[in-house]
Amino acid sequence: MNNDQMFKNRARVLDEDLAGRASTAGADALLAEIVLLEQEPALQRRRTPSPRRALFGLAAVATLAGAFVVVPSLFNGSEQVYASQAVTIDRDGDSYVFYITDGDPDPDELEKAFRKVGLDNITVKLIPVSPQQREPVVGFDKADPDARMSSTLSDCGKRVEGCLTAFSVTADIKGSAQFHLGRPAKPGEKYAYPADASWPGEALAGVKLQGRSVAEAARVVREHDLKVAYGLDWPLRGGNAGFRVERDVPASRIDPSWKVATAETYNDGVITLHVEPGAGATPPPGF
């Protein structure tokens, strides 16, 4: 959860919006779309260009079970309660704010920091993302239905020197919870979150498929000895900006003349073409 995504739009995403979802096209993210990130169901996201920054995770925020809210700032009225080389923690009202300063942090070190402020049931899992990803991927899976997590659009480096990403979580969270934080994938390792297939070092480095017809884009993908998969980006209803992604769409439902919006890779030999449905196309139930 393309990075390039919903963060710059400062959108509010609630649980019901994320039902059955995956991220934003690539910070396309950030965030639902995963539990262990093994599968990516349908997701709602905004499409924006992907900035290139120092790597902490991925170009997006991925949200797991629980609401994820993108806010302009987390810094107002906060007070530092813990600091290490990997993370600084502030208390801000009824939330803790985390400033990550290590691009490939040690989960044990982060969990130790969380316990220092009483967050004894929070664990950390690092997930492989594209080494080219320049925005953080932060996922949050929790048992407490009232717990909330948020990320900031502001430059967290203004608050903590060397900060790569910042996010907050409800201080009195009940039950177990797990943060999923992006880390650069090893050579040949499958990504847990999609990357733009045209990025340097990726399967279609320098090849722009956006705006091409599905037929032409699929031909180019196969010429690179890669397989093709499809997703449909259905515009949100009610005039809202953004779209919801229908994944694993069979080729029989794709009109070859429709246009490609983005091309994603998980570094597994498959390119997923995200297609904009043409005029008159009817979305399935739920879209």
Side-chain angles (χ1 to χ4, degrees), residues 79-146:
E79 178 182 359
Q80 180 175 307
V81 293
Y82 179 87
S84 70
Q85 289 187 341
V87 60
T88 295
I89 305 176
D90 282 0
R91 180 64 185 254
D92 186 2
D94 59 0
S95 297
Y96 284 114
V97 185
F98 304 91
Y99 308 90
I100 304 297
T101 50
D102 186 342
D104 192 5
D106 180 355
D108 291 337
E109 182 179 353
L110 292 181
E111 290 170 10
K112 178 181 178 181
F114 295 167
R115 289 193 294 271
K116 290 286 187 180
V117 296
L119 298 175
D120 298 333
N121 295 321
I122 292 183
T123 57
V124 176
K125 180 178 180 179
L126 301 184
I127 60 174
V129 301
S130 169
Q132 303 301 321
Q133 196 63 56
R134 294 299 183 264
E135 287 185 354
V137 167
V138 181
F140 184 48
D141 192 10
K142 44 85 174 183
D144 184 354
D146 297 321

Side-chain angles (χ1 to χ4, degrees), residues 110-241:
L110 292 181
E111 290 170 10
K112 178 181 178 181
F114 295 167
R115 289 193 294 271
K116 290 286 187 180
V117 296
L119 298 175
D120 298 333
N121 295 321
I122 292 183
T123 57
V124 176
K125 180 178 180 179
L126 301 184
I127 60 174
V129 301
S130 169
Q132 303 301 321
Q133 196 63 56
R134 294 299 183 264
E135 287 185 354
V137 167
V138 181
F140 184 48
D141 192 10
K142 44 85 174 183
D144 184 354
D146 297 321
R148 291 294 180 268
M149 176 186 175
S150 62
S151 181
T152 179
L153 294 174
S154 302
D155 183 0
C156 62
K158 295 178 181 178
R159 177 72 176 177
V160 175
E161 183 178 0
C163 178
L164 300 176
T165 190
F167 52 92
S168 71
V169 68
T170 310
D172 62 350
I173 184 171
K174 300 175 180 62
S176 61
Q178 185 175 70
F179 284 114
H180 293 233
L181 306 180
R183 60 141 175 99
K186 300 173 183 177
E189 185 177 15
K190 182 179 178 179
Y191 305 153
Y193 191 87
D196 189 320
S198 69
W199 283 347
E202 297 300 346
L204 294 176
V207 178
K208 297 296 183 182
L209 299 181
Q210 183 176 3
R212 299 195 191 191
S213 70
V214 171
E216 182 182 4
R219 177 182 56 78
V220 171
V221 171
R222 294 187 177 106
E223 286 176 350
H224 285 77
D225 296 323
L226 298 166
K227 296 180 181 179
V228 181
Y230 298 101
L232 285 172
D233 292 357
W234 295 102
L236 297 182
R237 299 183 180 185
N240 295 317

Side-chain angles (χ1 to χ4, degrees), residues 42-58:
L43 94 109
Q44 176 177 320
R45 62 184 184 180
R46 280 179 196 272
R47 192 184 294 124
T48 57
S50 175
R52 302 303 174 97
R53 279 197 50 189
L55 174 65
F56 161 65
L58 225 172

